[in-house]
Amino acid sequence: MNRKNIVALCFFMTWCFLSYSQTNKNEYSYSNFGKREQVIQQIEKVIKQKKDEVYSDKYKKDKVEIYDNMLVSLKGNFNDSVYVFNKILNDKLTSIFEKIVASNPQIIQQSHYTLIDKNIIPNASSYGNGLFTVNLGLFFLLESDAELAFVLSHEYAHQELKHSKAKIDSMMSAFNSEDLKNNTKRIKKMKYGKGTAARAFLKKMNFAFKKNSRKNELEADSLGFQFYKKTGFDVNASVSALEKLGKLEELVFKEEVNWKSLFNVNGYKFDFTLLEEEEMMFDLDAKTNDYEINKDSIRSHPHIKERVEKIKEKEITIASEETNNEYKELSRIAKKLCVKTSIDHAKLDIAFYLISSEIAKGNEEYYEDLGSLLKKLYFIKKNRLIGKEIPHPNDRWNEENLNSIRKFMHNISLYQLKKLSKAFLTYHIEEKNRKELESYYTFYKQL
Amino acid sequence: MKKLLLLIVLMFSVLTSFGQTKTIEGVSEYKLIKSGTLDDKNNEVDGFYFFYKVDNLKKGKAEYVIVLLDKNLNEVARKKYIDDKKISLVDAAYNGDQISLIFINYKQKVIKTVGYNRKGELLEPYEFEVSEKDLKFISGMGKRFGLNQIIQIYPIDNKGYIISYMTLIKKMKYRMHYISTSGGKNWMFGEYKKDKLHRSMQVYGYNDKVIVFAEINRKSLMSKKTSHHLKVVNIDNGKVIFEKEFNKDSKNVEDLIMMTNASFTDEHIILMGEYYPDYKSTKKLKSDGLFLQKYTYAGEKISDERISWKDEIFSKFQELNNEKGKNFIFFHNIIKVDEGYIGIGEQYRKRASAGGIAAFALGGGSSADISNLVITDAFFFKFSENFELVDIVKFDKGKSKVPNIAGLSSPQIGALVAKARGDFDYVNTQKDSKNNRLYSTFIDYERLKGEKNKYSYKTIIYQDGEFKESKFYLSNKNKSIKAYPAKLGHVMIYEYDKKTKKSTLHLEKVEVE
């Protein structure tokens, strides 16, 4: 290669790197919509209110410290782009919250602000004082305004019941209780078995906290259902929403990647040795732990079955089957957003899983994302960051399909990646005329 | 390197939830006693162990916790272990069948292994008695050099473990215990009760059939007169299959060899190293060239190939050598690959130190001050199956100047001492038998034009019959970076971000495009 070509290649690589790091960076960030400062102010206002509420409380200093840490964590999430802004999704959440509040004038805290977390796991939470977070994954699962309204009513009930504050109050009371002081004194005096006694005591405390948390969830279900009923939505949707959340483990990462259909193109044959199991020290499906404690005792939420039964006591018998097209679109937006944020934040295993499952369903718009992912994977591997960004396969999480993606990403060499990507991109440009892949094709061709 | 590994695994405690976390009011503490790597003879890291003390119990007992991480840094086991308070964990290893931890129990005066099978179940421990005198000796030496240097464990694939340690029977002697994990016979080697020699050992290689080592004997610890015995011992019964001895009376010049390492095929034991023209040359380590001897497992010699510096290697080496003066190669390893053998070495030379000579002449310095060893480029020697030189490939490295502790002795002796002190840039080599690849790693100090000098982590990869270099720097503007051995074909990278003061640990593949 002559000097001219080397200079050209260096320029190209630099351009690619810059364009890679700048691509769509702000598409979903609060800053892009000029909302970042406004939202941070809103969060600061909420935390200030919380601090004011504990002004005359016992253990005020400790509680203020907890809220200060909460503020730092929430602000930090903005720096780490944990929260994403999408007008359609944010408007949808706002409209449902408004409906709940309008239907329930007795609700004390009428104002509300919701942050969307890019997390794929369907979940929502209430920070109290009008601040809520909803994970993108919730839009993958729910299929109607009614189901979303039930979930948000539940979160509103947590707020109305001041569970967030109650949790901190009970922790502070426990940590400063006579019981704890006496037990600490007793254990300290022990000549032998201090550790065992301390662990047993801590276990008891932990179980008590979690028991209380489960009780709070049932209370939030009950009050949430009252709020929800007044919205006028189909009451049966409360059961269908809960049942969908109950099937979470079956639904998340359930789809296998079809490696052959994705990559066996243009004469390229996918190398399945990349997915081979490594020989490990232990031949076990899960971690062996002599100190394991009963998982049911440390659940923060009751079993869905119990929650559904409690709701059904309110004369609901049939789970709603309602599916509407609007929610198909919201789910599509959420998935696209999740893929984009995952690629941008190097969560390529999650992004690959979503992309491959959508392509398998015939969603053509995800080919461009796959091109973008293959380019990002090249940079991450080239810069020796794959071990930092992508977790190693770990059987204990029972995420077989995600694990196979992680094996692929860890085991593929740069040489193999170039070969695979070139074959994939050439096929889709030349045979399928996917013009949106051209920049990635050029990138790999120039390497 | 082992010490560095210990440092890094200490940092894992930050990552594990079972770290040195204090519980409420400091009522109970999890105290990290020891951590280390579970590595095999191919320098692959199979996992990591952490040993914590969590409680004092009645009757002089204590509760401990053993935490094991797999080679991908996932926690896979947390096991409760009750034993006496007066114990020390020496080291741990994994042989494909079970994980074994070696303990010294000072109360019961035993060395004992505690093993877990692949289902994570605790197995019946194996122990052997150690005298009070030996315990004091092991403990004293252990404090100075590390217990895992005094008691060593060699995992034998899917068969058992060999534990070697030093004992004081009249004089200082080595002893080996073989513990079968597959239902075979246990044995002990080194029952030298009556003789008055100091006997030490150096292991050159082992597989599931034999262990190859040198026994070095001398009358007193300061004595320069030594005799070397090369021994090949059967793993199944502890019997010597064959041995070779050379001393000043050796008549058989063919046996005047100094091993670098042993390697194995299904049919053959392959001994590799340097050969000498006479006994006198062995004292100065002035060898004539390299040898490769093949034996059957019954001890029958099949071949003895030799290649001389003078006639065969020197001219090719000189073509690549840019350095002035008399330069040598220190061979770290000779490894069997599908095409033949690969010798891995580093170039060095002895250089007088002006300051050191002046100080020595004035009586103010030691003989070690008068010269340095200058360590330069890495050399890879490609030999055919018949041990003929096929090619020499050089990889440039920065010059490292290290003190020549051997002082007035020959440069070769200086290099051997430097090797023992870890002064060479070479770290280790991993062999990927399945893909016929080698990964040889060096830590190089590079002098860079227009920027600050940096350490780099260089891996020479032998792949598809060619050598290629993969390199990354161990520091940049915002981060300090350290690199450590990991599973096959990988490096473990520890990064400390100076700005955010956060540290991360991750495994990365070593590769070239």
Side-chain angles (χ1 to χ4, degrees):
Chain A
M1 194 184 279
N2 63 32
R3 197 169 167 268
K4 211 171 163 185
N5 286 342
I6 293 170
V7 172
L9 184 65
C10 290
F11 178 77
F12 173 74
M13 295 288 283
T14 313
W15 172 78
C16 285
F17 184 76
L18 290 174
S19 58
Y20 138 80
S21 47
Q22 285 167 6
T23 308
N24 298 328
K25 197 178 169 187
N26 297 318
E27 196 176 286
Y28 44 79
S29 78
Y30 276 82
S31 311
N32 192 43
F33 296 90
K35 289 177 178 288
R36 185 190 155 97
E37 291 315 311
Q38 180 197 335
V39 177
I40 286 180
Q41 276 174 20
Q42 177 79 24
I43 291 170
E44 283 172 342
K45 196 176 132 194
V46 166
I47 298 296
K48 190 179 175 304
Q49 281 172 5
K50 285 178 162 294
K51 282 158 70 171
D52 290 345
E53 280 170 15
V54 298
Y55 188 72
S56 51
D57 276 14
K58 251 181 165 183
Y59 324 118
K60 178 196 157 191
K61 206 179 144 195
D62 291 336
K63 289 178 186 176
V64 166
E65 199 181 326
I66 288 172
Y67 290 130
D68 283 340
N69 288 336
M70 193 186 278
L71 181 62
V72 171
S73 160
L74 287 166
K75 279 183 173 177
N77 285 347
F78 274 92
N79 294 335
D80 297 337
S81 305
V82 169
Y83 303 124
V84 293
F85 183 81
N86 177 280
K87 194 169 181 323
I88 297 171
L89 298 181
N90 280 70
D91 284 353
K92 173 53 73 182
L93 290 167
T94 305
S95 74
I96 299 288
F97 268 128
E98 274 170 4
K99 185 154 190 179
I100 296 167
V101 173
S103 316
N104 293 277
Q106 78 279 18
I107 287 177
I108 301 161
Q109 175 74 47
Q110 290 277 322
S111 67
H112 48 84
Y113 195 83
T114 317
L115 298 165
I116 300 177
D117 190 311
K118 66 185 181 197
N119 200 320
I120 186 175
I121 305 295
N123 206 357
S125 55
S126 159
Y127 282 81
N129 302 68
L131 183 62
F132 300 92
T133 60
V134 168
N135 290 358
L136 269 181
L138 201 62
F139 290 100
F140 298 4
L141 197 73
L142 303 181
E143 291 174 289
S144 64
D145 277 354
E147 288 179 349
L148 182 58
F150 175 73
V151 173
L152 299 185
S153 295
H154 170 94
E155 295 308 323
Y156 231 118
H158 273 307
Q159 176 173 274
E160 198 68 4
L161 294 163
K162 293 190 179 294
H163 281 160
S164 167
K165 184 177 182 304
K167 189 177 171 186
I168 290 169
D169 287 347
S170 76
M171 275 168 68
M172 285 302 114
S173 301
F175 291 152
N176 292 287
S177 69
E178 283 302 309
D179 185 36
L180 182 95
K181 280 176 194 162
N182 293 337
N183 273 294
T184 306
K185 218 182 270 177
R186 173 182 65 83
I187 295 167
K188 263 185 175 173
K189 278 183 189 166
M190 287 170 74
K191 197 172 173 187
Y192 304 111
K194 269 185 194 176
T196 310
R199 279 197 303 277
F201 182 69
L202 285 169
K203 193 163 100 177
K204 201 177 110 190
M205 275 179 78
N206 191 13
F207 282 7
F209 286 139
K210 292 292 172 0
K211 196 176 168 185
N212 200 39
S213 168
R214 292 195 294 276
K215 189 179 124 263
N216 288 349
E217 291 303 324
L218 290 176
E219 279 177 13
D221 275 348
S222 180
L223 182 64
F225 185 76
Q226 301 306 321
F227 291 162
Y228 171 70
K229 216 160 76 172
K230 288 183 185 164
T231 58
F233 284 120
D234 175 9
V235 284
N236 295 317
S238 56
V239 174
S240 66
L242 276 176
E243 284 181 342
K244 278 173 190 161
L245 288 167
K247 285 180 188 163
L248 203 62
E249 281 184 18
E250 294 166 41
L251 293 170
V252 175
F253 307 125
K254 63 164 186 178
E255 283 161 59
E256 261 183 62
V257 178
N258 191 337
W259 299 97
K260 270 189 189 172
S261 117
L262 267 183
F263 295 120
N264 278 9
V265 289
N266 253 20
Y268 182 85
K269 287 226 170 353
F270 184 78
D271 180 4
F272 281 92
T273 61
L274 294 173
L275 311 181
E276 276 176 6
E277 292 284 331
E278 281 182 286
E279 198 199 306
M280 291 295 183
M281 284 188 299
F282 287 120
D283 185 17
L284 293 166
D285 292 335
K287 184 173 116 180
T288 163
N289 184 0
D290 290 346
Y291 293 85
E292 193 166 29
I293 47 179
N294 185 330
K295 279 180 187 154
D296 274 350
S297 304
I298 49 166
R299 287 178 70 99
S300 61
H301 286 59
H303 283 288
I304 291 286
K305 204 176 160 193
E306 186 188 347
R307 294 173 70 183
V308 168
E309 273 163 18
K310 295 261 181 206
I311 294 284
K312 278 185 177 173
E313 282 169 13
K314 300 173 196 306
E315 294 174 7
I316 295 160
T317 50
I318 313 153
S320 168
E321 292 295 329
E322 186 193 352
T323 310
N324 74 44
N325 285 334
E326 187 196 0
Y327 271 76
K328 279 187 184 161
E329 178 59 10
L330 292 181
S331 172
R332 192 195 69 79
I333 293 170
K335 273 184 191 159
K336 273 300 254 186
L337 209 47
C338 211
V339 166
K340 208 155 259 311
T341 55
S342 299
I343 294 175
D344 288 349
H345 296 99
K347 305 291 172 213
L348 299 189
D349 48 345
I350 304 282
F352 192 97
Y353 174 79
L354 291 171
I355 291 169
S356 66
S357 61
E358 289 305 311
I359 286 179
K361 285 174 203 158
N363 283 341
E364 304 249 320
E365 60 180 319
Y366 285 88
Y367 280 103
E368 187 185 357
D369 295 306
L370 188 51
S372 161
L373 184 148
L374 290 172
K375 185 177 169 185
K376 182 108 183 189
L377 184 60
Y378 175 83
F379 278 108
I380 287 179
K381 286 194 80 80
K382 174 96 182 156
N383 291 305
R384 295 184 181 84
L385 292 169
I386 195 88
K388 200 171 172 179
E389 305 289 5
I390 312 291
H392 281 272
N394 188 347
D395 289 338
R396 78 185 142 129
W397 298 111
N398 200 22
E399 293 166 353
E400 205 182 316
N401 297 317
L402 205 56
N403 276 342
S404 73
I405 294 168
R406 288 169 181 167
K407 275 182 212 156
F408 161 71
M409 290 181 175
H410 281 285
N411 294 339
I412 195 165
S413 66
L414 281 168
Y415 173 76
Q416 286 172 304
L417 179 62
K418 280 197 284 190
K419 224 171 138 186
L420 174 145
S421 302
K422 273 181 193 168
F424 170 82
L425 294 163
T426 307
Y427 174 76
H428 285 281
I429 292 279
E430 290 176 2
E431 304 288 322
K432 297 282 174 182
N433 200 26
R434 295 190 205 281
K435 293 208 181 324
E436 68 272 25
L437 289 171
E438 253 166 19
S439 67
Y440 310 114
Y441 173 71
T442 314
F443 167 77
Y444 268 105
K445 214 175 148 191
Q446 295 274 354
L447 286 176
Chain B
M1 183 48 63
K2 194 97 181 171
K3 277 181 187 168
L4 289 174
L5 278 172
L6 286 180
L7 274 177
I8 192 73
V9 289
L10 276 172
M11 285 181 284
F12 282 135
S13 59
V14 181
L15 302 175
T16 62
S17 55
F18 220 77
Q20 291 175 306
T21 318
K22 287 189 175 182
T23 56
I24 295 172
E25 303 278 332
V27 166
S28 165
E29 287 179 2
Y30 297 103
K31 190 179 170 194
L32 181 67
I33 296 177
K34 191 174 169 68
S35 57
T37 55
L38 298 155
D39 36 8
D40 67 12
K41 61 178 185 289
N42 191 32
N43 300 308
E44 288 177 45
V45 177
D46 290 321
F48 306 86
Y49 66 86
F50 300 85
F51 185 59
Y52 299 88
K53 185 179 174 187
V54 295
D55 220 344
N56 284 322
L57 305 176
K58 285 177 185 169
K59 295 178 185 171
K61 299 278 181 192
E63 182 181 333
Y64 304 92
V65 175
I66 297 158
V67 175
L68 298 166
L69 308 191
D70 68 16
K71 56 180 138 187
N72 291 332
L73 308 177
N74 295 318
E75 186 181 318
V76 286
R78 185 169 294 200
K79 309 300 290 183
K80 182 178 183 173
Y81 176 66
I82 310 274
D83 204 337
D84 291 321
K85 275 182 203 167
K86 289 186 177 176
I87 60 164
S88 291
L89 174 62
V90 178
D91 208 349
Y94 168 63
N95 74 344
D97 249 358
Q98 69 174 55
I99 291 141
S100 281
L101 299 103
I102 321 175
F103 290 95
I104 302 176
N105 187 318
Y106 298 99
K107 192 181 167 192
Q108 293 172 25
K109 299 186 184 62
V110 292
I111 292 176
K112 125 175 177 183
T113 66
V114 172
Y116 295 94
N117 65 17
R118 296 191 66 219
K119 295 276 170 210
E121 295 155 346
L122 182 66
L123 301 166
E124 194 65 32
Y126 174 86
E127 57 187 44
F128 49 90
E129 285 179 20
V130 191
S131 70
E132 181 90 42
K133 198 174 165 188
D134 282 349
L135 270 183
K136 275 188 185 162
F137 171 69
I138 289 168
S139 164
M141 296 288 277
K143 273 179 193 154
R144 201 166 160 202
F145 301 106
L147 272 176
N148 56 1
Q149 298 300 310
I150 309 304
I151 302 175
Q152 293 191 312
I153 185 164
Y154 304 98
I156 309 296
D157 288 352
N158 303 311
K159 266 192 159 175
Y161 293 95
I162 290 175
I163 294 172
S164 74
Y165 64 101
M166 297 307 288
T167 175
L168 292 173
I169 305 169
K170 299 255 184 208
K171 298 272 173 113
M172 201 164 75
K173 294 185 174 65
Y174 72 92
R175 195 168 260 188
M176 282 193 289
H177 280 263
Y178 173 73
I179 305 148
S180 172
T181 57
S182 54
K185 190 184 153 194
N186 294 340
W187 49 258
M188 197 263 277
F189 190 92
E191 195 72 62
Y192 299 108
K193 280 185 180 167
K194 289 178 186 171
D195 74 37
K196 291 178 180 172
L197 288 172
H198 287 285
R199 294 176 185 269
S200 59
M201 70 179 290
Q202 187 176 354
V203 174
Y204 291 116
Y206 56 92
N207 69 354
D208 58 354
K209 295 186 178 97
V210 294
I211 178 163
V212 180
F213 62 97
E215 183 183 291
I216 302 133
N217 302 334
R218 62 189 79 198
K219 280 186 178 166
S220 78
L221 283 174
M222 303 307 286
S223 169
K224 284 186 178 174
K225 285 181 184 172
T226 58
S227 68
H228 290 244
H229 298 249
L230 176 75
K231 290 180 190 270
V232 178
V233 169
N234 188 330
I235 289 289
D236 290 326
N237 55 25
K239 305 267 185 239
V240 175
I241 297 174
F242 66 94
E243 65 182 307
K244 290 174 171 296
E245 179 188 355
F246 76 83
N247 54 42
K248 69 179 172 50
D249 301 321
S250 289
K251 298 277 186 294
N252 190 357
V253 178
E254 273 191 15
D255 289 342
L256 289 175
I257 54 172
M258 205 74 90
M259 296 266 301
T260 303
N261 58 299
S263 142
F264 308 94
T265 64
D266 285 345
E267 294 85 27
H268 300 126
I269 301 164
I270 305 162
L271 309 181
M272 295 166 276
E274 296 178 36
Y275 68 90
Y276 297 84
D278 47 49
Y279 182 73
K280 206 176 148 193
S281 307
T282 66
K283 297 279 107 182
K284 291 185 175 178
L285 296 178
K286 286 187 175 173
S287 68
D288 262 8
L290 299 171
F291 78 90
L292 185 141
Q293 296 177 349
K294 271 188 195 172
Y295 291 84
T296 65
Y297 282 96
E300 186 193 344
K301 192 195 257 183
I302 303 291
S303 62
D304 186 348
E305 309 291 346
R306 291 177 185 229
I307 186 161
S308 76
W309 304 128
K310 205 175 157 189
D311 303 330
E312 290 151 280
I313 301 177
F314 187 69
S315 58
K316 278 197 179 179
F317 169 66
Q318 279 301 82
E319 283 172 23
L320 298 166
N321 173 27
N322 303 327
E323 301 296 324
K324 289 173 190 170
K326 205 171 181 182
N327 282 267
F328 304 89
I329 292 287
F330 186 89
F331 276 87
H332 295 290
N333 220 332
I334 303 171
I335 296 176
K336 177 87 188 76
V337 290
D338 291 355
E339 301 84 0
Y341 301 88
I342 304 293
I344 302 153
E346 269 179 280
Q347 183 174 350
Y348 70 94
R349 69 172 187 276
K350 189 173 169 178
R351 198 176 75 170
S353 156
I357 292 169
F360 185 65
L362 294 168
S366 73
S367 64
D369 299 328
I370 67 168
S371 66
N372 293 313
L373 284 184
V374 180
I375 297 164
T376 54
D377 302 326
F379 277 80
F380 287 76
F381 297 76
K382 208 171 168 183
F383 300 104
S384 69
E385 190 64 48
N386 300 323
F387 210 52
E388 290 147 346
L389 185 65
V390 176
D391 198 7
I392 303 180
V393 181
K394 184 181 85 164
F395 287 90
D396 291 341
K397 284 201 292 103
K399 285 178 191 168
S400 313
K401 206 166 70 179
V402 299
N404 182 14
I405 303 296
L408 297 165
S409 306
S410 71
Q412 291 92 335
I413 291 177
L416 195 68
V417 176
K419 171 73 179 174
R421 282 165 47 90
D423 286 340
F424 278 98
D425 296 339
Y426 176 74
V427 179
N428 68 29
T429 296
Q430 290 182 333
K431 180 181 172 180
D432 179 355
S433 302
K434 198 174 152 190
N435 297 302
N436 192 35
R437 278 181 205 159
L438 298 179
Y439 300 89
S440 290
T441 302
F442 299 81
I443 304 282
D444 187 19
Y445 187 66
E446 289 190 27
R447 286 161 181 86
L448 302 162
K449 275 184 188 168
E451 54 179 309
K452 218 177 158 187
N453 297 338
K454 284 177 186 172
Y455 280 101
S456 67
Y457 188 88
K458 272 184 183 166
T459 304
I460 310 302
I461 304 171
Y462 177 73
Q463 184 181 339
D464 304 324
E466 288 179 21
F467 295 94
K468 283 177 183 164
E469 183 184 287
S470 160
K471 175 176 94 171
F472 62 92
Y473 288 110
L474 293 173
S475 64
N476 66 28
K477 210 175 172 186
N478 303 318
K479 283 177 185 168
S480 65
I481 303 163
K482 288 189 170 79
Y484 299 95
K487 66 179 184 176
L488 181 64
H490 285 71
V491 54
M492 185 158 71
I493 299 175
Y494 168 79
E495 287 177 352
Y496 178 73
D497 191 316
K498 294 167 195 168
K499 223 173 176 183
T500 61
K501 295 186 176 168
K502 279 183 183 168
S503 55
T504 52
L505 200 58
H506 52 107
L507 289 176
E508 297 298 332
K509 206 179 177 77
V510 176
E511 61 175 326
V512 280
E513 279 187 68

